[in-house]
Each structure stands twice: as structure tokens, then as C-alpha cells.
Amino acid sequence: MSDRDYDALVEELQSLEKATGIVFSHSPSRKVSGSVKEGFTKVEHSKPMLSAKKTKNLDDIASFKGNKNLVTSWKMDGLSIILRYSGGRLVKAITRGDGMVGEDVTKSMRYCPNVPQKVSTIESFEVRGECVISWSDAKLISKDDSAHPRNIASGAVRTLFPDKERISHLRFFAFEYIGQKDFSSKIVSLSYLEEAGFEVVPHTLYSTESIDDIINKFDPNEFPYPVDGLIFEYE
């Protein structure tokens, strides 16, 4: 099932919950999707890794924007990963899991070609991002033509015995810095990550453009990686 189909079912469930007033404690609308596989070491996140608020209503986005500048980027459809650095080295790689606890996949992520194993700063910090595989590479390495690149990426990383060949086709795109530095804006934080050697999620800063004009500039058919929406953040 694609993320879009899953989201549609969750939206239908939320409508039913609102109409009936009945919400079960185990409802998918109350939880971050994901789980921790048996056999993996569990790692608690430094802060919850929650899903972004979703909407298909352009008026909601226009209201969110107001007169502020927006940083718009693809919502890349892959495997969310947190990288922890200390003493200038990568010390831990963790999946999102259930949003509170993830899996230790450090062994696998050491083979991801664009993940820096060393950085110039010795301070401890985290980088959150999405591990993805392109549509073209997915076709090259999978015998199943219907296999979604997201599942291929997840399968390559979430294994006790890393598949070096498949992992070599993956790319990690950073979208958030968590650490001691206090940046003046989202754009500045992403620039810092780029200077540190990370490939950041493709993004653009918009100020006076309308939401319609912004969205029309993004065509998923022209993007080499799978996406399932756009992310809007204040500058």
C-alpha cells in the first residue's frame, strides 16, 4: 500500500472518529506508523520523531503561510533515519520506529555512500533525514517491477546482515539539525549541514508567491526519487 492510500484511509478514520466521538486508544490516528523489528537493538530518540501535520486543502496552507516566507521541499518517500555524531564521527544510526524508540541500523548506514562517517566538528549533534532510492535504481536492483523504492530502501537498511550492494544505491537527504547550535532560520541550518558534508533535501525559499504558484513549480514526474507530498516550513 502506498503512503497516499494509507493516508486516505487514516483521513476517513479521523472523519468517522469526529462524527461518532469514538476514538480507541490503539487507533492509527493516534500513533506514528512504524515499529521496531525483533533482533534489533532499541534506541530511544532524543526527542519524539513525529509525522508532519497533513492537509490537502490549499486554504489551510495559505492560512499557515500568511505573510511569512516559506521553505518548501519535497516530502521524500523513503526510510526516516537519525544520524548521531560525537567526537567528529558517526556513532549511531537509528530508524524512526514508533516515533519514540527506533532500531540501531548503524552497521547498515555505514555503507550508504553519501553519509559522512567523519565531520569537522567534535560537538555532539544529530541529523534527521530520509534514506531513499531512485526510481531508476529500484528497477535495476529489484526483480519485482511492482516493488516500491521505499520498501527496497527499508529492506536494505533494516536487516541484521547489511546488503552492501543494495545500500550502495541509497542516498541520505538531511532535513533537520538537532544540537547545540542555534540557527537564525531553517535555510541557515540547511546550509550548515551542506557545508558539513551532508546532502540536504531539495528546497526553495518563497516569499510573495501564491500557494498555487509554489505547488505548480513541483512536478513529481520530473523528480528522480519517490515523493508523497510537499513540506512547508517557516524560513
Side-chain angles (χ1 to χ4, degrees):
M1 177 182 290
S2 69
D3 275 4
R4 181 169 296 180
D5 290 340
Y6 179 85
D7 290 343
L9 290 174
V10 172
E11 287 178 12
E12 181 181 356
L13 172 62
Q14 289 172 330
S15 296
L16 291 170
E17 289 175 339
K18 185 176 182 180
T20 63
I22 300 172
V23 182
F24 293 105
S25 61
H26 59 276
S27 170
S29 68
R30 296 294 180 266
K31 296 182 178 181
V32 174
S33 60
S35 60
V36 178
K37 275 186 177 181
E38 288 294 327
F40 282 94
T41 300
K42 296 180 180 180
V43 183
E44 187 173 348
H45 295 311
S46 60
K47 73 173 188 177
M49 193 170 190
L50 306 177
S51 297
K53 184 178 180 181
K54 300 175 182 178
T55 183
K56 294 180 181 177
N57 190 324
L58 297 186
D59 290 338
D60 290 342
I61 304 172
S63 177
F64 172 76
K65 181 181 185 305
N67 59 1
K68 297 182 176 66
N69 296 338
L70 285 187
V71 179
T72 306
S73 60
W74 285 116
K75 183 177 181 293
M76 304 185 81
D77 193 3
L79 177 68
S80 296
I81 294 288
I82 303 96
L83 303 177
R84 288 182 180 174
Y85 290 83
S86 184
R89 295 178 177 274
L90 173 67
V91 295
K92 194 83 69 179
I94 315 155
T95 63
R96 184 175 71 168
D98 63 5
M100 303 298 291
V101 175
E103 303 152 333
D104 185 340
V105 290
T106 312
K107 198 179 298 184
S108 292
M109 291 305 294
R110 291 202 184 280
Y111 295 105
C112 188
N114 72 333
V115 167
Q117 301 299 310
K118 297 180 181 179
V119 290
S120 58
T121 178
I122 61 171
E123 69 180 40
S124 297
F125 68 97
E126 293 182 2
V127 180
R128 295 186 169 188
E130 199 78 0
C131 201
V132 295
I133 186 169
S134 68
W135 291 106
S136 58
D137 277 6
K139 291 179 180 179
L140 285 176
I141 65 176
S142 177
K143 297 178 181 179
D144 182 0
D145 291 337
S146 65
H148 194 284
R150 176 199 338 104
N151 297 333
I152 298 174
S154 179
V157 174
R158 298 177 69 204
T159 175
L160 297 177
F161 302 97
D163 187 332
K164 299 178 186 178
E165 172 58 27
R166 290 198 171 198
I167 295 173
S168 69
H169 291 275
L170 301 183
R171 290 293 182 275
F172 175 82
F173 287 90
F175 56 69
E176 184 181 9
Y177 164 93
I178 300 175
Q180 300 171 16
K181 295 185 180 298
D182 186 16
F183 297 105
S184 59
S185 71
K186 180 70 177 183
I187 289 290
V188 173
S189 70
L190 291 175
S191 295
Y192 172 81
L193 289 175
E194 280 190 299
E195 292 171 3
F198 296 91
E199 194 167 356
V200 301
V201 62
H203 60 281
T204 307
L205 177 64
Y206 294 101
S207 55
T208 60
E209 293 85 350
S210 69
I211 296 300
D212 281 332
D213 288 341
I214 293 174
I215 291 176
N216 288 335
K217 294 178 185 294
F218 289 80
D219 184 354
N221 295 319
E222 295 181 358
F223 196 62
Y225 295 92
V227 298
D228 59 349
L230 295 172
I231 295 290
F232 296 96
E233 300 176 88
Y234 293 135
E235 178 189 5

